[in-house]
Amino acid sequence: MTSKLRFLVTTGTISAAMLGANPAFAAGTSAGDTITNSVSVAYEVGGVAQTAETDSDTFTVDRKLDMTIAETDGAARPVFPGQTAADSPGNPPAYLTFTVTNDSNDEVDFALSATQLTTGTATPFSGTDDFDVSSLQIFVDSNGNGVYDAGVDTATFIDELGEDLSVEVFIVGDIPVSAVNGDSSGITLTASIRQGNDGVTGGAIGGAYSDDSGSANTEDGTVNAANIDNVFVNISDSATDNFVIDSANIAVAKTSTVLWDPINGSTNPKSIPGAVVEYCIAVTNSSTTTAATNVAITDNISALDVSFYGTTIPSGPATIPTANGVISATACDGTGTNADASGLGESGGTISGNLGDVAASSTETLLFRVTVD
C-alpha cells in the first residue's frame, strides 16, 4: 500500500528559498510582484524511495503607500521687496524648495497644495509670520537641477514617481513691496499620494487609493490590480519653509575735509573764504546678501556759500592731492576705484553721479570739491 504525505505551505512564514522574489529595496518588494514558494517532500515505503510530493504557493505583493516631504535649504530663503516669480535680469524668481520622496513600493502620483501661515504664527527659521506672498504657484523640477527655471519647470503635480525616488518641488510667488528687512512669510507645502499608472499613460493626476488595511486580504494568486490591497502608512505629508526679507540696506554719510586755504596752504588749513573743501559721500550697504543697484547720487550746492571747485590752485605752500574739481568715485582716503560708476558731473551747482551697484556688506564713495565763497 502506498501512502502519501501532504505538506501544507502557508504564506505566513517565507523562507530564504522562495523562488521568483525580487531583491529588496528601501521601499521593499514592488507591489504586484508575485512570490512563489515550492516545497518537495521525499519519503520511503518499506525502504523503497517513493515519488516525491511537491506543492507550491503563489501570492501577490500588496501596495504599501508611504511618503516623506522635507524643506530642502535648511534656512529661510532671502528675498527683497518687490521680487516676483518671474525671471529677469537683476530680479531672480522668488521661490522655496521642498523634496518629496516616494517611500511606497509602487509608482505613484502626488497632488500638491500650498498654504500660507497665519500672520503672527512662528515660521521655521525667522520668527513670526509678517506678510503674505501673492500669486502663489507650485511647480515640479523637470530637469533635476534643483533650481526653479521659469518656463521650464511647468508641471503642477508629480507624475509617475517611482519607488524610492525623490523630486524637488518649488513654491513661487510675488513678494510685496511694502515688506521690510527682517520680515518673514511662512508657507506650507502638502503632498498627497494619488494613483499612479505604472508608467503606461501618465500625464494626468490619478485618483485616490482605497485603504484596505482593515479588510481581509483579497489575495487569490491572480496578478491584477484588483488583487492588490492598499496599506496606508503615510499618504499625505507637509513641510514648512519661509521667505525672509534681506534687502539692500542703504545708509548715507556725508563728511567734509578742508584741504587747503590761501593763508596756510595744506598745513592745518582752515575753512576761510577761498579755502578748498572736499566733500565725501559714503554709501554703505549693510545687507549680507543683496546688492543695491543703480545707486544714484544728487547733491545741490547752489544755495550754499560755496562754489564747485574746478580750477587749479595758482599758488600756496602746497597743492591739494588733485589739482581740479573733477568728481570721482574713489575712496575718501584717495585710494580705491569704482569700476561701474558713471555720469559723474556738475551742472548749475548740482553734483550728480551713479555708483552703479553697491555690493552687499560694502561701502562706495563719491567725492567732490568746493571753494568757500
Side-chain angles (χ1 to χ4, degrees):
M1 176 184 227
T2 302
S3 65
K4 294 185 178 180
L5 175 65
R6 298 290 183 184
F7 189 82
L8 179 63
V9 179
T10 69
T11 60
T13 56
I14 306 299
S15 73
M18 68 177 63
L19 303 178
N22 289 335
F25 298 97
T29 306
S30 297
D33 284 0
T34 57
I35 295 177
T36 300
N37 183 295
S38 298
V39 65
S40 176
V41 177
Y43 66 101
E44 297 178 353
V45 176
V48 178
Q50 305 297 305
T51 302
E53 290 293 324
T54 63
D55 198 6
S56 64
D57 176 80
T58 299
F59 68 91
T60 304
V61 176
D62 289 325
R63 183 181 291 108
K64 179 191 74 172
L65 296 173
D66 193 11
M67 62 156 298
T68 53
I69 183 172
E71 180 276 332
T72 302
D73 294 330
R77 172 78 65 157
V79 290
F80 56 83
Q83 190 172 353
T84 68
D87 188 5
S88 60
N91 185 6
Y95 67 93
L96 302 173
T97 307
F98 301 82
T99 301
V100 176
T101 301
N102 179 19
D103 298 315
S104 308
N105 66 337
D106 200 2
E107 185 177 73
V108 297
D109 293 349
F110 287 89
L112 305 169
S113 62
T115 306
Q116 306 212 49
L117 295 186
T118 304
T119 300
T121 303
T123 57
F125 303 110
S126 301
T128 60
D129 184 81
D130 303 300
F131 66 89
D132 286 340
V133 177
S134 61
S135 303
L136 279 184
Q137 301 176 81
I138 301 174
F139 296 110
V140 180
D141 189 5
S142 63
N143 54 16
N145 65 355
V147 177
Y148 172 60
D149 298 310
V152 176
D153 301 325
T154 57
T156 57
F157 65 92
I158 300 174
D159 190 26
E160 310 296 330
L161 185 62
E163 53 195 271
D164 296 316
L165 297 183
S166 299
V167 67
E168 307 302 320
V169 175
F170 310 111
I171 295 180
V172 304
D174 298 340
I175 309 300
V177 177
S178 58
V180 298
N181 271 357
D183 281 358
S184 297
S185 177
I187 300 174
T188 298
L189 176 69
T190 299
S192 301
I193 293 177
R194 294 289 185 269
Q195 293 182 22
N197 294 308
D198 300 322
V200 178
T201 54
I205 186 72
Y209 284 105
S210 60
D211 185 4
D212 301 317
S213 301
S215 60
N217 191 0
T218 59
E219 180 61 49
D220 60 8
T222 305
V223 182
N224 56 65
N227 189 48
I228 301 174
D229 288 331
N230 301 314
V231 178
F232 286 11
V233 179
N234 185 33
I235 63 167
S236 183
D237 202 1
S238 300
T240 302
D241 196 0
N242 69 277
F243 293 110
V244 61
I245 301 298
D246 187 1
S247 180
N249 190 17
I250 294 297
V252 180
K254 184 177 181 180
T255 58
S256 62
T257 303
V258 181
L259 299 178
W260 182 92
D261 75 49
I263 304 301
N264 300 296
S266 57
T267 302
N268 298 321
K270 310 300 181 187
S271 52
I272 61 176
V276 177
V277 178
E278 182 175 83
Y279 281 112
C280 175
I281 301 173
V283 178
T284 298
N285 180 8
S286 61
S287 169
T288 59
T289 59
T290 308
T293 59
N294 195 29
V295 179
I297 292 174
T298 302
D299 191 332
N300 189 345
I301 63 171
S302 62
L304 307 179
D305 291 325
V306 295
S307 300
F308 179 67
Y309 175 68
T311 60
T312 301
I313 298 176
S315 62
T319 59
I320 61 176
T322 302
N324 56 52
V326 175
I327 301 168
S328 61
T330 60
C332 294
D333 60 3
T335 62
T337 60
N338 179 6
D340 62 347
S342 61
L344 307 180
E346 181 271 339
S347 177
T350 297
I351 313 300
S352 60
N354 192 305
L355 296 179
D357 296 347
V358 178
S361 303
S362 70
T363 298
E364 293 187 6
T365 59
L366 182 145
L367 56 86
F368 65 95
R369 290 166 181 162
V370 300
T371 56
V372 180
D373 294 340

